[in-house]
Amino acid sequence: MAILNSNVPSGPLATKWENHKFSSKLINPANKRKYKVIVVGAGLAGASAAATLAELGYDVHNFVFHDSPRRAHSVAAQGGINAAKNYQNDGDSVHRLFYDTIKGGDFRSREANVHRLAEVSVHIIDQCAAQGVPFAREYGGLLDNRSFGGAQVSRTFYARGQTGQQLLLGAYSALSRNVANGGVKLNTHSEMLDLVVVDGQAKGIVVRNLQTGELTRHTADAVVLATGGYGNVFNLSTYARGSNVTAIWRAYRRGACFGNPCFTQIHPTCIPVSGDYQSKLTLMSESLRNDGRIWAPAKVGDKRAPAEIPEGERDYFLERMYGAFGNLAPRDVASRAAKTVCDEGRGVGATGLGVYLDFAESINRLGEDKIRERYGNLFAMYHEITDEDAYKAPMRIYPAVHYTMGGLWVDYNLMSNLPGLFVLGEANFSDHGANRLGASALMQGLSDGYFVLPATISNYLAGQAPAKRPPVSHAAFAEAEGDVQKRIQRYLGGKGKRTPSSFHKELGKIMWDYCGMARNRAGLEKALGLLGNLREEYRKNLSVLGEAAEWNQALESAGRVEDFIELGELMCRDALEREESCGGHFREEFQYTKEDPEVRNGLVNPGDVKRDDTHFAHVAAWEYAGPDRKPILNREELKYEEIKMSTRSYK
Amino acid sequence: MKVQLKVWRQKNRNTSGKFVTYESPDLNPNMSFLEMLDVVNESLASRSEEPIAFDHDCREGICGTCSLVINGKPHGPHKGVATCQTYMRSFKDGDQIVVEPFRAKAFPLVKDLVVDRKAFDRIQQKGGFISVRTGSAPDANSIPVPKENSDLAMDAAQCIGCGACVAACKNASAMLFVSAKVSHLGLLPQGQPERFRRVKAMVDQMDEEGFGACTVTGSCEAVCPKSISLDFIARMNRDYLVALAKGESKKPAAGGV
Amino acid sequence: MILLLKIWQSSLGKKYIMALSGGAMLLFVLGHMAGNLQFFLAPTYINAYGHFLQTTPEILWTSRIGLLVMVGLHIAAAISLTISNRAARPIGYSGGLSAQGSTLAARTMIWSGLIVASFIVYHLLHYTLTLPQVNGYQVFAGEAMDFDGLVEPKTGYHDIFAMIVLGFKIPVVSGFYLLSVGLLSIHLGHGVASMFQSLGLRSYAWWPRIAALARVLSVVIFVGYASIPVSVLLGRGSDYVNEVRTSGKPAHVSPTSHSPSK
């Protein structure tokens, strides 16, 4: 059994982080350069961490599988980044952001981490503005804000519909500066394929160069994984095609616990699936819900064009069900509502899997130009993909996999149960509980990278003798590289018929059908059976062409898909084990009904998620137990010192 | 619908390449161009032929990974979109489509349609940043920026670094890319302290990488997935002229504590 | 000197040289055109103008040397840039690049420029050095013609008016001239706007005006220059030339003042 100590500092919530920084160990500047830190990934978390660690004086080595750090998928985040600046004077505060985030996560995140996130949020905006991130501004020259789901204040900073891109370019520019001055050694086209653990501590990685196929070993005093989320386990998602679980999955197989793997975010406003050839689902930013109204026909099977459906026969279901937040209900709530409507047979479009996001009223009120100014690029993107004009007819949207709240388990210092292994951003499980609020992913990635890890990593490193890391000739490195070699040979030597992508499609369908927006015991058990078979089939019937020592995209995906299949099993197991509903995890067996007092008191609607704080107020941290053995479930109980867990109401 | 693909195949930098013609399987007009290549690759793999290597990632037009010159035009027939946002309905049933890699000395070929665009990163590393240490920033609203400048900076900052400007330019010039970065930071008050140093360093590295010069043909602007304007090139020319005129800055006097 | 070297070594620096030398030559082209348009006044105006220039070596030679330097820099930078531009794409596209928003003029600047340069060489041999071998009379009219011997009857100055008329009477010569002026105007249509672009003298608000200025200038220059050979071919100055050629040396001009210097 792994030992899970959250290492949350004692003392009042509001001063924990300040106190912790003060009591953390420091390393003198002359010694810092003797510590080598590997950072894998260069998205918001990875790039900001690598740059900041280098500024502090550590010897930083950054590994990315892309050709350039600027391509990491943080680039695709559209809507914005939250910060408790209260520039709008609308009653925001660190405490409110903290509370909204905890509540948004359905009381399944660690209180102290979330409070720290809210505290740090204000510094992120300062840092990014100083770097030249062109945030939207008002005519007075000061920063503008907009509203996002799950909040009743306007605290979201944005750069048109490309906030993620601009923040990433900011972090990338900081990284580039430190590459230029020698602080960061940048390794592009370098995919981490294994973690090296020496005497129970993470001390290195094995990397494959995607251009040449060469395998190399890299030793370090600490390894930082900032490799993003694993939503591509569903195959169809809003993730980039390259996004994968391999780095954290290999760390899991080397002993790092995986926290809450089943917590997946399904984003309500994506463009619906159009056919089975599809490789990717495209998000339409949540910011659209500021001005768009979501509706479906009130009558089952109403196939009329949207313009022909009179106002009285439309059901603005979010406004009807969640009056206080309306169209800005949190993502899990909005997605589930859309699914319910479609399950009732009221879905629109050819597949019946879609609802309308309608701008007609806003265009009438503000004029088309204003809407164009706010969302022009999103409307253009919608037009490119669907060949439809959303200025004239409402958009059709449907929920799609967008983010994973689960990830490697970390303590307050962002260190996994494997000492020396730090996990940042979407790759860890820490801050979003069972559901993430819009515009909080960017906040967490940058918080972890710019401010948290640089302050906490010294707690570990100070305990390591400087310049005493194991050499790459150590047996653990040879073993890890040997394992990677064997996998590659196995893939290339396969005599099967099917491509990795055909398996990926099949995996995605199983996951979406049984471990998607709604889950139940029978389905999850069935999925576990199907996934076991799929894993066997993968061993027997895989075909990968080409060679190891060259650019080989099929070989890359062969490893990633196999890891996804294994992850899929863990997700289903976790979902099965968690016999409650919370946030994005909706177990059909656990929902409010008309008989519940909360429904009668008007707090929630029938069909809303029903938590079980008595039995499940914990983080499920899964521990690898060996191939073909059931993983071990460890629990970190969630203790709320400051706030009370309560029924999550958006009515 | 079906199309005939004439695709550049080349195993690696050291071997020679050639065009190979493939008949596509049945396609759906709502497929993206990259999804069409996925489908073609699946059919190749099923015949034990090696799939076509092509770069791609986000498939929503923002990461800048996808490339391809389609019928002589980077990112395909439409204006203001990347290859991943080009859909098969832009082509007709039975069309022949010629697909080539981006061609430039500074973008060496990796395999088939994949080229190496690290030259862009090296240019960035020379000065595409504002030197601000984490933690040292003043309150964000203490630096007011005129909205016009901020909007213009955003227009430039939208560049996705795909390299289509280079691919389209008859001189394989990277001026649009470099000018977008230089202008983004040069337009903001935060970027002023390093403005001239930045433009000098980035342009010099651009020359070093072997990109051609600008002859103001406007092809870059026409193919740019973000429609970045030639105005930024003029702005960079102006800044570089000032930087040249200023000359070397004086080395700081040797000093003690 | 180091600064000049730095300018030359950078691609942007060479574009500044292109722009500035091009700008200087544009001023000459405009000035030269204004001078030439005196052709539409009585012959004595342009002849007096020529006489003034020929007898004021400080203006004549300053501008000649200045122009030579500008032409030299413009061509050297252009060739150097073209070589490095070609080197920037060693392997081209199978079907060539599609035009993609560029104009033919923009893509062919080096060719329009080189043809105009070769025309300038001819033009200098023709009208400045007045080599009889190049004026086309021997080949196309079967007779020898020496422009040096043309003297305005009234003043005894070198008769530039008559030289222009006689020069352009040969259709092939006029044709080459018109072609070159056409190419020059195309070259400038792109070049003038690019000059502003290269020097950074452009903004969102000003670009349409600069582009319009370039178009207007290119048309004005074409019409201005082309009007001369066209008017000759339409008959302007025929009577006058006959008069000059038959009258011989005018009596009332002192023998010392008519020998043209070059």
Side-chain angles (χ1 to χ4, degrees), chain A residues 52 55 66 68 70 87 126 129 132 160 165 172 188 241-242 279-280 384-385 499 501 550 553, chain B residues 11 35 42 54 57-60 87 89 111 116 118 121 133-134 139-140 145 155 158-159 184 190:
Chain A
T52 306
E55 283 167 10
H66 289 104
S68 162
R70 64 174 296 154
Y87 284 161
D126 298 342
R160 293 193 195 148
Q165 181 200 27
Y172 165 69
T188 50
R241 285 310 290 165
S279 62
K280 154 92 190 176
E384 281 300 327
I385 294 172
T499 59
S501 62
E550 64 168 359
Q553 288 166 312
Chain B
K11 193 164 175 53
E35 284 165 349
E42 281 294 294
F54 62 97
D57 198 27
C58 80
R59 300 203 174 193
E60 53 183 284
Y87 286 79
R89 55 178 166 265
K111 184 175 181 179
D116 191 328
K118 291 196 192 80
D121 290 304
R133 293 176 69 88
T134 305
D139 184 87
V145 182
D155 284 348
Q158 288 190 84
C159 166
H184 157 212
Q190 303 92 302

Side-chain angles (χ1 to χ4, degrees), chain C residues 4-242:
Chain C
L4 290 180
L5 193 67
K6 282 212 168 125
I7 292 172
W8 182 259
Q9 278 168 346
S10 126
S11 64
L12 261 64
K14 285 200 191 102
K15 295 302 292 189
Y16 299 147
I17 291 171
M18 295 292 292
L20 292 171
S21 56
M25 290 190 290
L26 173 69
L27 291 181
F28 168 77
V29 165
L30 290 172
H32 186 49
M33 181 176 78
N36 285 4
L37 286 177
Q38 295 175 82
F39 177 72
F40 289 103
L41 304 174
T44 181
Y45 285 92
I46 196 164
N47 290 344
Y49 168 67
H51 181 74
F52 165 73
L53 286 180
Q54 283 162 355
T55 52
T56 324
E58 53 273 34
I59 294 182
L60 186 70
W61 283 101
T62 312
S63 44
R64 277 179 177 176
I65 291 168
L67 268 177
L68 204 63
V69 171
M70 291 301 141
V71 170
L73 283 173
H74 200 76
I75 293 177
I79 289 174
S80 160
L81 281 168
T82 303
I83 289 170
S84 56
N85 290 345
R86 296 267 160 93
R89 178 168 293 128
I91 303 168
Y93 295 101
S94 63
L97 274 168
S98 60
Q100 299 161 9
S102 67
T103 59
L104 187 66
R107 293 196 303 276
T108 54
M109 287 297 275
I110 186 74
W111 300 117
S112 57
L114 287 175
I115 294 170
V116 169
S118 63
F119 163 75
I120 291 171
V121 172
Y122 170 76
H123 190 61
L124 290 173
L125 298 175
H126 187 206
Y127 280 142
T128 307
L129 296 177
T130 57
L131 292 188
Q133 294 88 331
V134 302
N135 63 24
Y137 273 82
Q138 197 67 55
V139 182
F140 297 107
E143 53 167 327
M145 164 66 75
D146 182 9
F147 289 162
D148 272 356
L150 298 169
V151 172
E152 184 183 352
K154 268 192 270 178
T155 59
Y157 294 164
H158 178 215
D159 199 334
I160 291 166
F161 185 92
M163 179 171 81
I164 292 172
V165 173
L166 288 167
F168 286 135
K169 277 239 177 271
I170 306 294
V172 176
V173 171
S174 294
F176 185 36
Y177 184 91
L178 285 172
L179 172 76
S180 303
V181 169
L183 284 174
L184 175 68
S185 113
I186 290 171
H187 192 82
L188 290 176
H190 179 72
V192 171
S194 294
M195 177 175 84
F196 286 93
Q197 168 82 5
S198 292
L199 293 172
L201 302 174
R202 162 181 177 171
S203 69
Y204 175 75
W206 278 92
W207 181 243
R209 295 167 202 173
I210 291 167
L213 173 75
R215 278 195 295 276
V216 168
L217 275 181
S218 80
V219 170
V220 165
I221 285 168
F222 180 74
V223 172
Y225 278 103
S227 62
I228 296 168
V230 168
S231 70
V232 168
L233 292 177
L234 291 177
R236 176 164 170 81
S238 292
D239 298 344
Y240 174 78
V241 168
N242 289 337

Side-chain angles (χ1 to χ4, degrees), chain A residues 251-506:
Chain A
Y252 164 75
R253 295 197 31 146
R254 294 279 174 198
C257 288
F258 207 119
N260 298 334
C262 80
F263 284 175
T264 313
Q265 175 159 86
I266 316 281
H267 195 294
T269 53
C270 300
I271 300 176
V273 176
S274 66
D276 61 1
Y277 50 81
Q278 205 155 344
S279 62
K280 154 92 190 176
L281 296 174
T282 303
L283 174 77
M284 289 284 106
S285 168
E286 181 159 315
S287 61
L288 290 169
R289 290 198 270 147
N290 272 302
D291 288 308
R293 296 178 72 197
I294 294 179
W295 64 276
K299 277 193 305 210
V300 170
D302 189 342
K303 292 289 167 205
R304 285 176 291 176
E308 289 164 20
I309 301 179
E311 206 54 39
E313 293 174 44
R314 298 175 175 192
D315 176 18
Y316 294 89
F317 52 90
L318 286 179
E319 297 169 25
R320 171 173 59 79
M321 295 161 75
Y322 305 98
F325 285 69
N327 292 298
L328 285 172
R331 289 174 177 176
D332 55 334
V333 174
S335 291
R336 216 153 26 238
K339 179 179 186 302
T340 307
V341 164
C342 294
D343 289 349
E344 288 168 9
R346 296 194 281 134
V348 301
T351 58
L353 294 177
V355 294
Y356 291 123
L357 176 58
D358 198 334
F359 293 87
E361 194 205 282
S362 300
I363 289 174
N364 274 339
R365 182 163 42 91
L366 303 165
E368 192 174 313
D369 285 346
K370 192 75 198 167
I371 296 297
R372 195 180 298 276
E373 184 194 319
R374 286 186 188 165
Y375 313 109
N377 63 327
L378 297 169
F379 278 57
M381 198 194 284
Y382 184 81
H383 179 253
E384 281 300 327
I385 294 172
T386 62
D387 212 15
E388 292 170 22
D389 182 356
Y391 295 104
K392 304 249 156 23
M395 288 183 179
R396 286 175 299 109
I397 53 160
Y398 195 69
V401 175
H402 179 59
Y403 187 87
T404 48
M405 283 72 70
L408 291 187
W409 181 91
V410 289
D411 67 4
Y412 190 71
N413 290 316
L414 301 183
M415 189 162 83
S416 117
N417 58 303
L418 268 185
L421 179 69
F422 293 81
V423 192
L424 314 187
E426 194 180 346
N428 74 24
F429 88 102
S430 72
D431 293 355
H432 305 297
N435 173 60
R436 178 177 65 75
L437 289 184
S440 284
L442 304 182
M443 172 171 70
Q444 186 223 339
L446 290 179
S447 158
D448 287 359
Y450 280 132
F451 296 103
V452 180
L453 179 79
T456 59
I457 196 170
S458 57
N459 274 321
Y460 170 75
L461 289 175
Q464 308 293 305
K468 287 280 189 272
R469 55 186 166 268
V472 291
S473 54
H474 190 285
F477 281 90
E479 189 214 317
E481 190 187 326
D483 286 355
V484 172
Q485 285 278 16
K486 267 182 256 161
R487 287 184 88 193
I488 291 173
Q489 291 317 321
R490 178 158 57 82
Y491 298 140
L492 289 170
K495 298 272 181 289
K497 296 244 173 301
R498 292 179 60 185
T499 59
S501 62
S502 80
F503 281 99
H504 199 170
K505 272 194 179 145
E506 192 177 336

Side-chain angles (χ1 to χ4, degrees), chain A residues 574-592:
Chain A
D574 185 44
L576 198 56
E577 203 74 33
R578 190 171 280 280
E579 297 193 305
E580 63 161 351
S581 294
C582 58
H585 171 63
F586 182 61
R587 281 283 298 265
E588 286 167 346
E589 303 95 312
F590 309 100
Q591 51 181 302
Y592 284 106

